Structure formats: C-alpha cells, structure tokens
Amino acid sequence: MIVGVKINKRSVYSDERGRIIHMLKSTDSLLDSFGEIYCSTIFPAVVKGWHLHKSVTINYFVIRGNIKFVLYDGREGSSSQNQIQEIIMGESNNVIVSVPPNIWNGFKCISLKESYVVNIQNKPYDENEVLRMDPYGNDIIRYNWKTKDK
C-alpha cells in the first residue's frame, strides 16, 4: 500500500429503474478544494500512463467498465518508496481512489468495451504541472502491463 493513497468503497443502490452510484461527498474529506472534474475514456487493452501530478490530488472513479489502476511511489524518503500498487476498479469494484501529488500513475482498460474514468481534482488542469513517461519503456518504473495468468 502506497503512503497517502486512499481507497474508499462506494455505495450502489439498484432497483427496477436502474442504479445510483455514489462517487464523492463533501463529507469524504478527499478534496481540500475543488479544481475540476472530467471524464476520460479508454479502449480495451490500451494503457494510459505514466503520469505524475506535482501539486494536484486526483480522485479516480470508473463509471463504466473496469480498469487496472497502477501506482508507483518514486518519492525520496517515503516509507513506500519504489513500491507498486495495483487496484482493479470499476463495475466489479466500486471504489474511488485518491492519489496525492508526486505518485506516478497509469491505467489499463481490462473490459471488453470502452471504460469511462472520472477524475475529480483539487486544482484545475495545468499542463506544466504534469510529468509524463512512456508506460512501456523507461528506466524508472519496471512494470509489465500484460494480463497475468494464474
């Protein structure tokens, strides 16, 4: 478990009309302020990553499909430095994952159809605040995105 990452289970209420899926409440204390919310989609077997926000806390919630959300702690002096954390999230696991600044993250769609990922940030998007790295070929994070056989 990477220090500072929070995983909160979300409630789902279903009846014959459909479902209500809670994402975020003001009482959750995941955001110190509101910056923006957006929805990103990802096609099956595609990887989006690696990203690192220098000053933004992100809160991911999958509203359709399933993803494998992967985090890497490269923070100097962190008690979880160099650790990798994998979280399966989406329709099969209704959670919101809060990631503090300076944690590398990426995700892969593990559904047969396009997945929809909502990000609720504490600050508006700023291209200069984000670092990016190739998810397959880099010298920092050694991670295999292939599906694991059991």
Side-chain angles (χ1 to χ4, degrees):
M1 188 78 160
I2 293 179
V3 172
V5 174
K6 299 174 187 167
I7 303 172
N8 290 18
K9 190 75 176 155
R10 300 289 83 181
S11 301
V12 179
Y13 302 96
S14 300
D15 65 21
E16 68 274 5
R17 300 168 296 163
R19 296 182 290 159
I20 293 174
I21 305 168
H22 286 274
M23 290 182 7
L24 184 64
K25 296 179 182 182
S26 62
T27 55
D28 287 337
S29 69
L30 294 177
L31 288 175
D32 56 5
S33 62
F34 175 75
E36 81 172 291
I37 182 171
Y38 67 85
C39 183
S40 172
T41 72
I42 184 168
F43 296 121
V46 171
V47 172
K48 287 188 177 183
W50 295 102
H51 309 96
L52 178 144
H53 289 273
K54 295 184 270 187
S55 64
V56 170
T57 296
I58 61 173
N59 294 276
Y60 276 2
F61 185 83
V62 180
I63 59 173
R64 183 176 128 186
N66 292 289
I67 66 168
K68 178 169 59 169
F69 188 35
V70 183
L71 308 170
Y72 171 78
D73 188 354
R75 298 173 294 180
E76 288 286 328
S78 169
S79 61
S80 56
Q81 184 177 357
N82 297 322
Q83 287 185 21
I84 289 177
Q85 182 174 356
E86 297 176 325
I87 306 157
I88 303 300
M89 54 189 299
E91 294 173 22
S92 65
N93 185 27
N94 284 303
V95 295
I96 188 166
V97 178
S98 183
V99 181
N102 297 306
I103 302 289
W104 287 99
N105 66 89
F107 56 93
K108 178 180 180 179
C109 178
I110 57 172
S111 297
L112 298 177
K113 294 184 179 179
E114 181 179 24
S115 291
Y116 289 67
V117 182
V118 172
N119 181 10
I120 306 163
Q121 299 186 173
N122 67 335
K123 296 179 183 178
Y125 180 79
D126 176 0
E127 181 65 34
N128 297 317
E129 186 271 339
V130 180
L131 299 178
R132 299 179 190 286
M133 191 169 23
D134 187 319
Y136 297 105
N138 66 74
D139 294 329
I140 298 172
I141 307 171
R142 305 251 187 244
Y143 184 77
N144 185 345
W145 288 97
K146 291 182 181 178
T147 302
K148 295 179 175 93
D149 294 328
K150 292 192 177 198

